Structures are given as structure tokens and as C-alpha cells.
Amino acid sequence: MNDRVPIAILASGRGSNFESIAQAIGSGKLQARITHLISDFEEAPVVEAAKRMGVKAKVVKYEKSREFHDQKIVEAMSDDPPRFLVLAGYMRLLSPGLLKSFSSDQGYTRIVNIHPSLLPAFPGLHSYKKAFEYGCKTTGVTVHLVGEGLDDGPICAQESFSIVDCQSAAEVEQKGLKTEHLLYPQTLSWVLPEKFQIQSREGGRSCVCKS
Ligand code: GRF
């Protein structure tokens, strides 16, 4: 059996996480195959990055409703359907229909996201800035399976780092992105082959690596 898990990456912007995943695949650190890069913005740098790296890039602009838009995404991927969706700076909430298309029999979605905070702290936008402005001494990065709410779903991996010495939100982001670019491919290496179990706790669910 071919053990390269087909994934589509959804991204709206700069694309540094897209690049780090594509590089991890290229160097053999991550057993996966990118079927598509899907962006909702034609001008997003990630679209250019994908073309440069030989990845099939498609732009699906938002129209009408979340359900309609997500249906268009599914159609755009139908020439080579992925097993997992990997969100990398994708700025839209997914519709219940799309979550359902990627849900497993075990009750989790085959959709992964990276969020720039230690969830459940600072969900939503500008999380590095929020942590800096709050006066946090430490912040971090979370990789999680996507749930129905904003930045929720079983947590797969988290990594923290000190921001005591950071003088600006931009410095926090710089530090955070370095962490993201290592943590995301590393976590995907056990999430994509589904080497995990979901543990239910009182406040939520956690995704725990089996090996
Ligand atoms: C990252 O900080 C990621 O954690 C968040 O959006 C940002 C995307 O950056 N979800 P990039 O487009 O991958 O460079």
C-alpha cells in the first residue's frame, strides 16, 4: 500500500506553514502527498509558493454562503480527493457539511489546524499580539483536529516558548513561526497515518499519539 497520505492544504495568506510542510514532504520527513493547495484569495502569496513548488494550486473565492463555498472546495478537489484537510492560515470557519465529509467513523474529523496560542487561550485572530499585549510571560502553538467551534477540537500537540525577552508582538510572531514550522510537520507525521486515540476528558477531548 502507498503510505503517502493524500492531503489538501487550505491557506489564505503568506504560506510559510504550507512551505514547511511541502519541504518536510520533499525531504522525506513526512509521508504525505499534497493533492491541492486551495486558497480563497487569488493574490495570496501561498498561491505563488505552491506553483513555484510544483503543487496544484486552485483559488476558490468565497461566494453566497459558507456551505456553498465549501461545496465548491470539495468540487475543486474531486479530481484527486484528499484523505485529510490541513489548514495552514486558512481564515474561514468551515461549514458543517465540509466537517461531515471529512469525519471518521471514530467521531473525529480528518481536518487539522495550527493555531498560534496555547489553546484554549486566545482563540480567533492575532493571537501572538494578544498574548504580548496581555503581558504573558509564555505563549505557544497548538496543533488540533478541527471541531465545530472556533479553534476548538481535540488537541494533538502544543509547544510553549518564553516571550519575556520579546519587545514587540512582531518578535513574538517571529519566535512563534519558528516553532510552528517544526511542530506542524512533526505532528502531522503521526496524525496523518491516524496513529492516535481520542481521549475524552471532562472539559474536552485530546488526541494522543499511540507510539
Ligand atoms: C500562522 O501563525 C498560523 O498559526 C495561523 O495563521 C498563520 C499563518 O501563517 N493559523 P502562514 O500563512 O503559514 O505563514
Side-chain angles (χ1 to χ4, degrees):
M1 191 184 104
N2 189 341
D3 53 5
R4 291 165 78 83
V5 181
I7 62 172
I9 300 185
L10 270 57
S12 303
R14 178 178 48 198
S16 67
N17 279 288
F18 162 78
E19 288 197 45
S20 73
I21 294 166
Q23 278 160 9
I25 292 172
S27 67
K29 286 186 190 144
L30 179 60
Q31 295 298 310
R33 176 175 69 82
I34 306 176
T35 61
H36 306 85
L37 175 279
I38 305 279
S39 180
D40 50 337
F41 283 114
E42 201 158 8
E43 314 74 30
V46 69
V47 176
E48 267 315 300
K51 288 180 183 162
R52 200 176 60 237
M53 296 175 96
V55 171
K56 196 189 292 166
K58 293 194 179 179
V59 175
V60 183
K61 288 187 189 161
Y62 180 82
E63 52 177 323
K64 291 187 189 166
S65 68
R66 198 182 289 161
E67 282 291 349
F68 185 84
H69 181 233
D70 285 354
Q71 190 46 46
K72 291 266 167 213
I73 291 177
V74 172
E75 282 164 24
M77 301 185 301
S78 62
D79 56 336
D80 188 6
R83 181 164 175 83
F84 266 85
L85 290 185
V86 173
L87 311 185
Y90 187 62
M91 304 308 281
R92 294 189 176 281
L93 274 178
L94 305 183
S95 62
L98 189 56
L99 292 179
K100 200 159 172 250
S101 327
F102 284 86
S103 65
S104 69
D105 293 342
Q106 292 75 29
Y108 56 82
T109 62
R110 291 193 183 92
I111 307 179
V112 199
N113 184 40
I114 186 158
H115 184 78
S117 75
L118 294 172
L119 289 172
F122 307 123
L125 297 174
H126 311 303
S127 306
Y128 289 135
K129 187 162 179 266
K130 285 180 192 161
F132 177 75
E133 288 176 352
Y134 193 88
C136 293
K137 307 293 183 201
T138 296
T139 190
V141 171
T142 302
V143 178
H144 65 99
L145 301 180
V146 172
E148 281 168 15
L150 174 68
D151 297 321
D152 73 1
I155 289 175
C156 307
Q158 290 186 305
E159 196 158 319
S160 62
F161 52 91
S162 167
I163 57 171
V164 170
D165 296 333
C166 291
Q167 304 301 320
S168 65
E171 265 184 55
V172 176
E173 182 176 12
Q174 219 177 9
K175 231 176 159 176
L177 284 169
K178 277 193 192 153
T179 306
E180 293 187 31
H181 298 157
L182 294 174
L183 188 68
Y184 211 1
Q186 206 176 72
T187 307
L188 289 171
S189 72
W190 56 266
V191 170
L192 297 180
E194 293 171 70
K195 288 184 185 159
F196 59 76
Q197 50 200 35
I198 302 290
Q199 281 183 0
S200 290
R201 308 248 174 105
E202 291 196 357
R205 292 186 307 155
S206 180
C207 175
V208 182
C209 181
K210 271 190 202 160
S211 50

